[in-house]
Amino acid sequence: MKNLHLQIEINPELYSKNPDSSELGRKVISKSIELIDEMGFEVFTFKKLSLAIKSPESSIYRYFESKHALLVYLTSWYWTWTEYRLVFAMSNVESPEERLKKALEILTQPVTIDNSISYVNEVLLSEIVFSESLKSYHTTKVDDENKRGAFNSYKATVRRVSEIVLEVSPTCQQPHMLISTVIEGAHQQKYFAEHLPSLTDVTNEKNSITTFYTDLVFRFLKT
Amino acid sequence: MKNLHLQIEINPELYSKNPDSSELGRKVISKSIELIDEMGFEVFTFKKLSLAIKSPESSIYRYFESKHALLVYLTSWYWTWTEYRLVFAMSNVESPEERLKKALEILTQPVTIDNSISYVNEVLLSEIVFSESLKSYHTTKVDDENKRGAFNSYKATVRRVSEIVLEVSPTCQQPHMLISTVIEGAHQQKYFAEHLPSLTDVTNEKNSITTFYTDLVFRFLKT
DNA sequence: CTATATTAATAGTATTACTATCGTATGTGC
DNA sequence: GCACATACGATAGTAATACTATTAATATAG
């Protein structure tokens, strides 16, 4: 990983014009990540983005047909990138238990170090995914967007980690439920810790969310 | 329970005028439950509600200052009512394990039988809570609304069941995380089963979600 | 230096989420 | 039978949002 410059390819169904193909497109991505992280997806508008990048709103619409399409693009980017992180972290780790443990770390912790030299700030992007990705699939158009492949990279990630679960415990009947519960749970617990702390038991100590979900998974798999 | 007519008292901070105190107010509640269940919260508007109940939009605003306030009211109603269900289900059950098992059923299954003689359709309301309650606390105003008590009944439910967890396993360090994970997880898995099935392992058999989360909890607590 | 891609500039629309004002109907206490 | 409050109706209007449409300017590539 590190400074290895890997190319994240996004399903063309998820944009009108590839933002990676022009300067304005890249500005749209990097500035929208900043703004959404800063003010939240609801408050974020293309109008505000257009002011921030000093380009008219209509130019943004050439890349994304809606602000929702932009969120879907961003989360899709994140999960594609996370698949690479998983593959990299798994390489040279023999023990399935160790592999699963490492995978759970990647899934339950927001990114803290931005190694990228690209226009995507992965630290902020992971914050967005943790707090806003729910909104990417929780709409009336899910089924349509799902058909167009909007959630392929998320589903692929869940599938990949589920396979590790099966290596650890071949008799596990619900590996997908387990992993999607862990991912979504970790996102929510972080949010609860910040806003509704009585719904969690998050402590001062670092990584209490990762610890909890790692315990949860391994105790579930231990028969 | 059954036809016992219990009065659900809602925190006055959560409405402008008590909808339970007038006919129009009760119509607002019962019709909004129908409409939100039917079309989803995003698509639902006070305009549509006003047409459905044949009253002007401005009359609805006398009861709720925003459509979001209405959703908060509805989910709050649900959790207050669910606390009663829990208390009722726990009575006369001695074993903490049995109590926890029963509580998990109540938390992970949508309601199927409407025993109520009131204007609140509990079957539809539970559907709304399962699919839309996320939106009640996932906003930029959470902290404000939390201070005003918007989520008290949800938090009380989590606390109550967490106490049962501690009866079963007094050494458990994260009872709140465990229960909020189960509640939110069950809601999401139901949604995934309907829209993104590859994220679940939900089968034909009835209650596979309840089975999974019950296993998850008891295996977590078994040391 | 011309064709092509790319962006700027401007304007406009339907809908949403709300606010404001005023008027009427209905019953209740005295 | 009258004061009076409560409840509801009717109408109008506003700021912001999420788009769409069109045309003109500019950069770049061959």
Side-chain angles (χ1 to χ4, degrees), chain B residues 129-159:
Chain B
V129 168
F130 265 65
S131 59
E132 314 279 5
S133 66
L134 275 173
K135 291 162 192 165
S136 72
Y137 57 75
H138 222 106
T139 67
T140 42
K141 300 169 225 148
V142 216
D143 299 329
D144 253 36
E145 294 186 328
N146 189 28
K147 270 176 203 150
R148 289 172 58 190
F151 313 111
N152 286 353
S153 54
Y154 180 40
K155 294 191 285 189
T157 303
V158 170
R159 198 181 316 120

Side-chain angles (χ1 to χ4, degrees), chain A residues 20-158:
Chain A
D20 194 44
S21 73
S22 76
E23 213 187 309
L24 183 63
R26 290 185 292 268
K27 261 165 77 180
V28 164
I29 297 300
S30 64
K31 204 70 191 175
S32 69
I33 290 173
E34 280 177 43
L35 292 182
I36 294 172
D37 176 62
E38 200 177 303
M39 60 181 71
F41 183 68
E42 323 262 79
V43 177
F44 168 83
T45 66
F46 275 4
K47 183 78 200 160
K48 287 170 185 166
L49 177 57
S50 81
L51 291 171
I53 63 176
K54 284 163 191 148
S55 281
E57 221 181 325
S58 52
S59 296
I60 300 167
Y61 279 97
R62 275 203 295 281
Y63 295 89
F64 297 102
E65 67 187 15
S66 68
K67 97 177 192 180
H68 182 253
L70 170 59
L71 182 64
V72 168
Y73 178 93
L74 293 176
T75 57
S76 191
W77 198 102
Y78 174 83
W79 290 114
T80 304
W81 176 64
T82 295
E83 276 208 81
Y84 283 112
R85 285 196 292 156
L86 281 168
V87 171
F88 184 80
M90 300 299 100
S91 68
N92 301 323
V93 182
E94 300 289 305
S95 145
E97 280 80 10
E98 278 307 307
R99 288 148 60 91
L100 182 53
K101 205 171 164 220
K102 187 69 201 163
L104 292 175
E105 271 176 38
I106 290 174
L107 296 181
T108 59
Q109 282 170 20
V111 176
T112 51
I113 302 156
D114 187 10
N115 281 318
S116 96
I117 50 167
S118 85
Y119 54 94
V120 175
N121 182 329
E122 288 132 5
V123 175
L124 297 185
L125 179 57
S126 87
E127 288 290 334
I128 291 173
V129 169
F130 266 66
S131 59
E132 313 280 4
S133 67
L134 276 173
K135 291 162 191 166
S136 72
Y137 57 74
H138 221 105
T139 67
T140 41
K141 301 168 224 148
V142 216
D143 299 327
D144 253 35
E145 294 185 329
N146 188 29
K147 269 176 206 151
R148 289 171 57 189
F151 313 111
N152 285 354
S153 54
Y154 180 40
K155 294 191 283 188
T157 303
V158 170

Side-chain angles (χ1 to χ4, degrees), chain B residues 39-84:
Chain B
M39 60 183 72
F41 182 68
E42 323 262 79
V43 178
F44 168 82
T45 67
F46 275 4
K47 183 78 199 159
K48 286 170 186 167
L49 177 56
S50 82
L51 290 171
I53 63 176
K54 283 165 194 148
S55 281
E57 222 181 325
S58 53
S59 294
I60 300 167
Y61 278 97
R62 285 205 199 86
Y63 294 89
F64 296 102
E65 66 187 16
S66 68
K67 96 176 190 178
H68 181 254
L70 170 60
L71 182 63
V72 168
Y73 178 93
L74 292 176
T75 56
S76 192
W77 198 101
Y78 174 84
W79 291 114
T80 304
W81 175 65
T82 295
E83 276 208 82
Y84 283 113

